[in-house]
Amino acid sequence: MKVSGMLWTGLMALSLAGCATRGPAVDSPVLRDPEALAAAQASQATRAAWLASQADWSFSGRVAVSANGKGGSGRIDWEQADARYEVALSAPVTRQSWRLAGDLQTGAGRLEGLEGGTREGGNAADLLRQATGWDIPVASMVHWARGLADPTAGVEGLEYDTQGRLRALSQHGWRVDYLDWFPAEGARPVLPRRVEARRDGAAVKLAVDQWQMAPQ
């Protein structure tokens, strides 16, 4: 299915507006010491447990998406309410916007803002791929964006940096690199600031400006 003319017009504007997602990759050393690695793994398990207790959360920032040399970038706002999510993408130059709503339990999705009207499907990632050409594992991104492995799939690789933070993980054939982190704040653990996910000719780059967790 071809991408709509309106969508590609918006994406070209997004490409000009989203340059802030670009930047040098951080080549932090991989943690090798067995004792320090065990401590990092324990710290990650504690992080995962705390984040699992936060059913509702959101972040805002910038995203860049590319597939086979084509793509764009712009603002992103992600709102998670337990298993349900809404992801809004906006193009500041054209003031166009698109919204993807989905459910982790059913896998279904609804995409609004496309030329020709709203589209729905039983698989949010497939719906997004068919409508836009973007290869984004949406259900896994719910976890990857927070610096967690997707619990529904096997982990093909994990790396930690010398500060004990997750440096990279591999799942579904994707490599997800964590290039920068927000420091811990109160009970909240460190959270990703810059994330890059790549597989074959596809890439998703995320630069988070702000995280929000629902008050307990």
Side-chain angles (χ1 to χ4, degrees), residues 154-166:
V155 177
E156 297 150 14
L158 278 176
E159 295 177 0
Y160 295 89
D161 64 22
T162 53
Q163 296 186 53
R165 303 171 304 193
L166 188 63

Side-chain angles (χ1 to χ4, degrees), residues 97-110:
S97 63
W98 305 272
R99 183 176 295 272
L100 175 67
D103 190 315
L104 293 176
Q105 293 182 341
T106 66
R110 175 185 175 92

Side-chain angles (χ1 to χ4, degrees), residues 7 28 32 44 60 66 76 85 96 103 142 145 160 164 172 185 197 212:
L7 180 59
S28 57
R32 303 290 187 189
Q44 176 69 359
S60 58
S66 62
I76 184 172
Y85 58 84
Q96 290 176 295
D103 190 315
V142 172
Y160 295 89
H172 300 300
E185 185 176 302
Q212 289 188 334

Side-chain angles (χ1 to χ4, degrees), residues 28-201:
S28 57
V30 179
L31 187 61
R32 303 290 187 189
D33 178 72
E35 185 174 342
L37 183 58
Q41 292 169 337
S43 177
Q44 176 69 359
T46 300
R47 272 190 78 248
W50 190 89
L51 290 169
S53 71
Q54 310 296 305
D56 300 343
W57 50 270
S58 64
F59 71 78
S60 58
R62 290 145 292 155
V63 65
V65 181
S66 62
N68 301 316
K70 296 181 179 180
S73 54
R75 295 293 307 176
I76 184 172
D77 292 282
W78 189 304
E79 295 184 5
Q80 191 78 27
D82 199 6
R84 299 189 62 81
Y85 58 84
E86 287 194 3
V87 184
L89 177 67
S90 60
V93 175
T94 63
R95 297 185 180 180
Q96 290 176 295
S97 63
W98 305 272
R99 183 176 295 272
L100 175 67
D103 190 315
L104 293 176
Q105 293 182 341
T106 66
R110 175 185 175 92
L111 187 59
E112 301 175 350
L114 295 175
E115 188 176 82
T118 298
R119 299 180 188 175
E120 298 184 12
N123 183 293
D126 289 346
L127 175 66
L128 195 61
R129 187 181 302 110
Q130 292 167 5
T132 69
W134 296 341
D135 185 10
I136 303 177
V138 182
S140 292
M141 285 299 296
V142 172
H143 308 285
W144 294 350
R146 292 177 293 159
L148 301 173
D150 181 349
T152 67
V155 177
E156 297 150 14
L158 278 176
E159 295 177 0
Y160 295 89
D161 64 22
T162 53
Q163 296 186 53
R165 303 171 304 193
L166 188 63
R167 182 182 185 273
L169 67 85
S170 298
Q171 287 190 294
H172 300 300
W174 289 81
R175 177 183 169 91
V176 186
D177 288 293
Y178 295 91
L179 307 179
D180 196 12
W181 292 81
F182 286 99
E185 185 176 302
R188 195 205 72 189
V190 296
L191 284 169
R193 190 193 302 267
R194 286 183 57 209
V195 184
E196 293 188 5
R198 299 179 181 275
R199 182 178 71 175
D200 301 329

